[in-house]
Amino acid sequence: MTGPGTVPQAVCQDTAAEARPTVAGLDRALADWSRPGGPFDPALLAAHEEAESFPAEACAALDAWGLPEFYVPVRHGGRQEHLDEFVALLRRIAAHDLTVAVAHGKTFLGGVCVWAADENGPARLLARQVLAGEPVAWGLTEPGGGSDLLAGALDATRHGSGWRLSGRKWPVNNATRGNLMCVLARTEPSGGARGFTVFLFDKRATPDGTVRALPKMPTHGIRGADISGLEFDDARLPAHAMVGPVGSGIELVLQSLQLTRIVCVSLSLGAGDHGLRLLRRFLGERRLYGRGLADLPHARDIAGRAVARQFLAEAVAHTAARAAHQVPEQLSVVSAVAKAFVPSLIQGQLRLIGDLLGARGFLADVEGYGAFAKLERDHQVVPLFDGSTWVNRAGLAAVLPLLRPGRRPAPDDADSPARWLREDHALDPLDTHRLRLMAPRDAVLGALPALVAELAAEEGGSTTVGLARALLAACEALGDDIGALRPAAGPPGTAAMRLAERYEWCFAAAAALALHRARPRLRDGVWGADGRWLRGCLVLALEALDAAPADAAQVFGELGTLLTTAPDTPVSLFDSDGEIRGRGAPALLPGARATEARPAGEVEAA
């Protein structure tokens, strides 16, 4: 076992051998690191969890592999080019350990305001630091402030050509561990939308005694992460520490959140991967009433629902990551939907898995399933990141009248997600100058009528077409209900929030249809044949929209059966390199059974 912050020599050698870090390369590295004595050894990570200590060995291994390069945009010397690739990378880490993914990935969130402002001075400074492995924090929250950015009391006042900071930021991820923090500070005593500014702060450049670390916050999940804070007492900042113009802080943070919310869903995708891996193993091992648990209809139904949730989450996450490049003007809606919907969807998936695992999932070291308890605890924190589920859903509810289905003409071919989701489509460079605080339209849900019509033209009266038509009818009913909604002052009421949740389900199902349309290869293989994955997504959405089809149990039962009869096929639409899974996936063998289970005492590498 290595000491804190150290990396085995083999890790450095593997990193040097990797000419360019890739998703597939990270997969191989994580598998190697998860062996006994490695930085991702489950026993080591469990020990950090128990002691509430920082997983320094795992983070050091990711530094050596080159992950910090993906936190810096290409134009500033890094490798961050396509957001979907970065989501795939962080997903792989989260599938092994959510605490590590949160602890290391926070540097992306910490620097995003600087990249969004796109000013050469602060960007060059930050890029050098991040590429050298320096963690970065994002100081938004303050004691008692919750998610209300306008309530921030950290004060920045002029001091010569620079500034002085006084106040607190807490709780903040990486606050104690890192030397760098982007902070949102009040630069006008009266506050308001133009009363805040972002600063890039370096502890090492401040006089002793002007910055003090605040205690680590005890958390239910991600116990090893550095969730702490800082207190500023007339801490001096140079003029070049300011990010963006004076008074632009709130707008800059809100635009940056549109990107970080999409990245956050990678944590949920990884949690879903981990949960399904444990479930697949359990179904292959467990016997009940003289037969395999996977043979029981109830177990197959629950497993199938868990699988369908993973596919639907993937469709939303991939669509949102590509939308950041192609329709950034619409990202205020797309990112809010993704952040409200995907973590909630996966939290529901983990509840289903926990129901099947029973006590084994929550007792440490019981047949290797004790990792589920940590996974379930860790993921409960994800819905709170970058605006809670309520905050994102409330923001969506506030603009529902503008987004009402049928209010605007359907997007043309250039704007349709079925075009920019194609695997041969070259993504536009990410242009933060195109981000808007209010989206003029939603091209994903707007494309639903055309997607359903195209599917019907191809498949006639197939079961999948029937489900798609039912979805379109549910979406039209949503439009009528939004149209009947009466405006009200203050926070959105219960009726508006329920409409926003229905909107999320319609958006998610439209994203799945667009992905199915854009990628013909998704219609092959174990999950794609006969539209299996797509039918699972559509049935899941229709159930949530109170339009459940009569054959829902059959659809989920089939997916649940495939989870164990095709044990070597990952529950994913994507290959190991992060691209859409192609042809050649193993076919379902009639009557096939799960492979022989591993010894009961073997520890799950997670």
Side-chain angles (χ1 to χ4, degrees):
M1 187 176 295
T2 58
T6 63
V7 185
Q9 184 178 2
V11 173
C12 298
Q13 292 172 347
D14 289 345
T15 304
E18 185 78 59
R20 183 190 186 278
T22 63
V23 176
L26 182 59
D27 275 334
R28 291 190 295 270
L30 286 166
D32 185 58
W33 297 339
S34 297
R35 295 172 182 169
F40 274 80
D41 179 354
L44 174 62
L45 295 175
H48 279 302
E49 167 81 0
E50 184 67 24
E52 299 189 29
S53 57
F54 189 79
E57 301 88 349
C59 288
L62 293 172
D63 284 341
W65 182 80
L67 187 61
E69 297 175 21
F70 290 90
Y71 299 152
V72 179
V74 169
R75 66 183 182 276
H76 297 302
R79 294 188 184 275
Q80 184 195 116
E81 185 174 13
H82 296 149
L83 205 58
D84 53 350
E85 180 184 31
F86 181 60
V87 166
L89 287 168
L90 205 57
R91 171 184 181 175
R92 294 320 199 274
I93 300 165
H96 283 259
D97 190 82
L98 262 175
T99 298
V100 175
V102 169
H104 203 286
K106 185 63 178 183
T107 292
F108 169 79
L109 278 65
V112 72
C113 280
V114 176
W115 316 135
D118 203 23
E119 292 183 327
N120 285 331
R124 285 197 303 267
L125 169 66
L126 185 63
R128 288 196 301 269
Q129 297 283 344
V130 173
L131 292 174
E134 184 68 40
V136 186
W138 199 10
L140 297 182
T141 53
E142 299 182 14
S147 299
D148 186 359
L149 296 177
L150 293 176
L154 177 70
D155 183 57
T157 56
R158 295 277 189 180
H159 179 75
S161 62
W163 299 82
R164 292 188 300 185
L165 289 183
S166 294
R168 293 182 171 190
K169 287 294 180 182
W170 185 91
V172 175
N173 192 357
N174 278 347
T176 300
R177 171 174 166 256
N179 290 309
L180 298 169
M181 181 187 290
C182 271
V183 297
L184 178 68
R186 183 184 290 258
T187 45
E188 287 291 337
S190 59
R194 292 293 173 184
F196 293 81
T197 306
V198 172
F199 295 91
L200 177 59
F201 169 78
D202 190 337
K203 296 178 190 175
R204 297 164 295 190
T206 58
D208 291 341
T210 60
V211 180
R212 182 174 67 88
L214 296 175
K216 183 179 185 298
M217 179 183 185
T219 54
H220 181 63
I222 58 170
R223 294 175 179 174
D226 172 22
I227 310 295
S228 55
L230 293 179
E231 183 173 30
F232 303 89
D233 183 10
D234 278 341
R236 297 181 182 181
L237 301 181
H240 65 258
M242 189 169 64
V243 178
V246 174
S248 66
I250 295 293
E251 181 177 3
L252 184 57
V253 167
L254 291 177
Q255 289 175 337
S256 299
L257 283 168
Q258 294 176 22
L259 300 174
T260 63
R261 285 167 175 162
I262 294 172
V263 171
C264 270
V265 304
S266 63
L267 303 173
S268 292
L269 291 180
D273 290 333
H274 189 173
L276 287 172
R277 192 165 69 241
L278 290 169
L279 176 61
R280 175 178 259 164
R281 178 186 168 191
F282 181 69
L283 290 174
E285 293 177 351
R286 181 66 171 152
R287 297 189 64 78
L288 193 64
Y289 308 124
R291 55 178 173 165
L293 182 61
D295 295 332
L296 298 179
H298 176 68
R300 288 199 302 269
D301 180 78
I302 290 181
R305 290 173 182 275
V307 168
R309 283 174 176 263
Q310 189 72 7
F311 285 135
L312 192 55
E314 277 194 321
V316 173
H318 190 70
T319 300
R322 289 204 150 214
H325 293 266
Q326 297 304 130
V327 287
E329 298 86 357
Q330 302 175 22
L331 219 58
S332 63
V333 168
V334 174
S335 64
V337 169
K339 182 58 177 59
F341 183 77
V342 173
S344 299
L345 192 69
I346 297 302
Q347 195 63 38
Q349 180 210 64
L350 294 178
R351 283 195 295 269
L352 292 172
I353 294 173
D355 287 344
L356 280 182
L357 292 181
R360 285 170 177 78
F362 298 93
L363 296 176
D365 300 325
V366 176
E367 299 184 3
Y369 294 102
F372 181 80
K374 178 182 184 305
L375 168 65
E376 200 271 342
R377 284 196 306 271
D378 286 351
H379 188 265
Q380 287 186 35
V381 185
V382 175
L384 303 177
F385 290 153
D386 293 11
S388 65
T389 300
W390 188 92
V391 167
N392 283 285
R393 189 164 291 159
L396 179 63
V399 296
L400 282 178
L402 298 176
L403 302 173
R404 177 169 55 85
R407 182 175 182 270
R408 297 178 184 271
D412 56 28
D413 289 341
D415 200 25
S416 172
R419 182 186 73 88
W420 43 262
L421 285 173
R422 287 168 49 186
E423 56 190 329
D424 62 350
H425 178 79
L427 291 176
D428 292 342
L430 186 59
D431 185 358
T432 57
H433 294 296
R434 292 172 59 188
L435 296 173
R436 298 291 180 268
L437 297 185
M438 183 172 291
R441 62 187 306 163
D442 174 5
V444 176
L445 191 51
L448 182 59
L451 292 169
V452 174
E454 290 165 358
L455 183 68
E458 284 185 359
E459 300 188 12
S462 71
T463 302
T464 308
V465 170
L467 295 173
R469 285 174 171 159
L471 173 69
L472 182 58
C475 184
E476 291 170 348
L478 170 65
D480 293 339
D481 290 344
I482 291 175
L485 187 67
R486 294 292 176 262
T494 301
M497 292 292 278
R498 287 177 176 170
L499 289 176
E501 187 173 6
R502 285 169 59 190
Y503 189 98
E504 293 166 21
W505 280 101
C506 290
F507 177 102
L513 276 168
L515 195 57
H516 179 269
R517 175 67 180 170
R519 309 286 181 103
R521 292 196 296 166
L522 280 178
R523 304 167 199 180
D524 298 319
V526 168
W527 303 114
D530 197 28
R532 290 176 182 130
W533 75 268
L534 179 60
R535 284 190 290 121
C537 291
L538 294 177
V539 170
L540 203 63
L542 288 170
E543 281 192 341
L545 294 166
D546 295 326
D551 64 343
Q554 178 183 342
V555 172
F556 293 132
E558 188 174 352
L559 290 174
T561 299
L562 286 168
L563 186 65
T564 54
T565 56
D568 296 325
T569 304
V571 184
S572 176
L573 303 175
F574 301 89
D575 288 317
S576 61
D577 61 356
E579 269 306 312
I580 288 291
R581 185 170 301 284
R583 300 181 186 273
L588 176 63
L589 301 177
R593 295 299 304 269
T595 57
E596 183 178 347
R598 287 177 290 175
E602 182 178 342
V603 177
E604 175 73 14

